[in-house]
Amino acid sequence: MTATRETKAASAVGQVRQGGALGLIAVSAVTEVRSKLRTPEFAVGAIAIPVLLYAMFGLPNAGVLPGGTTVRTAFVVSMAAYGVISLAIFTFGEDVAKDRGQGWLRTLRATPVPVWTYLVGKVASAVVLAALIVAAIGVLAATAGGVRLDAGTWVALAALMIAGVLLFAPLGFAIAFLVRPRAAAVISNLIFLPLAFASGFFMPLSELPEVLGDIARYLPTFHYGQLAYAVVMPAEDITYWTGVATSPAWVHLLWVFGSAVVLGAAALIAARREAVTARG
């Protein structure tokens, strides 16, 4: 790992000296993607768990919702959203916190390499893994589950899922910079698992206690799910599945983008404060 980072830093410094900002970003992004894909326990865990959950919860259920949407199709959205959001939280939360605790960010600040290029590399790796999660669930759903969606719908769903990595990255960064590095993994789990349950990713909110449905209205993950369900389901089925009347898309977008801005600002303030402290 140390050798990889030294190689990354050396290559990046070379790009800085050549004045190539785009080249610097490319070096950081490609190195980060290769690092993730060469770590089987992370790559397999990030992709395999959502697929396994779909196989457990989605495939056995052959029901059909009142508007004609199959339950297996609804679970494609639920498990893909689960996988993408967990990827964002743990990649940008636990992973960045670990590097922060090991002093890697402090080392970068002492070089000509901007820290933001390191973060862009994290984003690139998360986007690649998010695409693999959606593809794996989609292939399983289409082959073993008989889910039939037209090409345009698959593309729209995949695009929204991949965008979810960017929308929930601020939550991961907030965890990484606001909590102690050793506590980041625990905090990530304590935040994500309740969010996933309360947002109805594991089972419809209509089958959960009413209080969870009331809480869900204030969660960005729930509103993200509402946007994703709308890609493959009519409003009638969304209401039946979630147990909550649908709202205009702009309401859901406001919640998702608003939370991303607030959490991103909190993470930025914490990161800048740490940088000032390190220099002082």
Side-chain angles (χ1 to χ4, degrees):
M1 179 65 73
T2 301
T4 300
R5 286 177 173 174
E6 289 177 351
T7 302
K8 175 181 177 181
S11 300
V13 169
Q15 292 291 341
V16 170
R17 289 174 177 172
Q18 295 174 13
L22 292 178
L24 177 58
I25 294 173
V27 168
S28 179
V30 170
T31 302
E32 194 65 37
V33 170
R34 287 178 176 175
S35 175
K36 289 297 182 206
L37 294 180
R38 288 174 180 174
T39 308
E41 62 270 22
F42 184 91
V44 173
I47 299 170
I49 291 178
V51 175
L52 179 61
L53 288 174
Y54 180 76
M56 293 172 58
F57 291 99
L59 290 183
N61 199 326
V64 179
L65 302 182
T69 305
T70 64
V71 173
R72 290 171 178 170
T73 300
F75 266 113
V76 167
V77 178
S78 295
M79 291 300 98
Y82 163 85
V84 167
I85 295 173
S86 66
L87 178 67
I89 291 177
F90 289 103
T91 296
F92 300 109
E94 182 180 356
D95 205 19
V96 173
K98 185 185 299 183
D99 287 348
R100 175 176 163 241
Q102 293 174 347
W104 177 237
L105 298 184
R106 186 168 56 252
T107 300
L108 278 180
R109 293 189 186 102
T111 72
V113 182
V115 175
W116 63 266
T117 60
Y118 157 85
L119 299 179
V120 169
K122 292 290 184 186
V123 171
S125 67
V127 166
V128 171
L129 289 174
L132 291 177
I133 289 171
V134 177
I137 293 176
V139 169
L140 179 61
T143 55
V147 174
R148 297 291 179 263
L149 300 174
D150 60 67
T153 301
W154 279 118
V155 170
L157 180 61
L160 183 57
M161 290 295 107
I162 293 173
V165 171
L166 307 179
L167 293 170
F168 289 96
L171 174 56
F173 284 133
I175 294 172
F177 288 105
L178 290 172
V179 306
R180 291 180 299 176
R182 290 184 179 180
V186 175
I187 297 299
S188 295
N189 279 291
L190 287 176
I191 290 176
F192 173 66
L193 291 178
L195 279 178
F197 271 103
S199 298
F201 293 155
F202 291 113
M203 62 180 63
L205 285 173
S206 56
E207 298 179 8
L208 296 174
E210 186 177 350
V211 64
L212 290 182
D214 295 334
I215 294 173
R217 301 171 188 267
Y218 302 98
L219 302 178
T221 46
F222 165 77
H223 290 281
Y224 175 70
Q226 290 283 298
L227 290 170
Y229 289 128
V231 175
V232 301
M233 301 163 63
E236 177 187 4
D237 283 351
I238 296 175
T239 300
Y240 184 88
W241 180 255
T242 63
V244 179
T246 57
S247 300
W250 68 266
V251 174
H252 304 307
L253 288 170
L254 184 61
W255 273 99
V256 174
F257 280 105
S259 64
V261 170
V262 172
L263 291 168
L268 182 60
I269 291 171
R272 287 183 173 177
R273 183 175 58 208
E274 181 178 79
V276 170
T277 302
R279 287 197 298 268

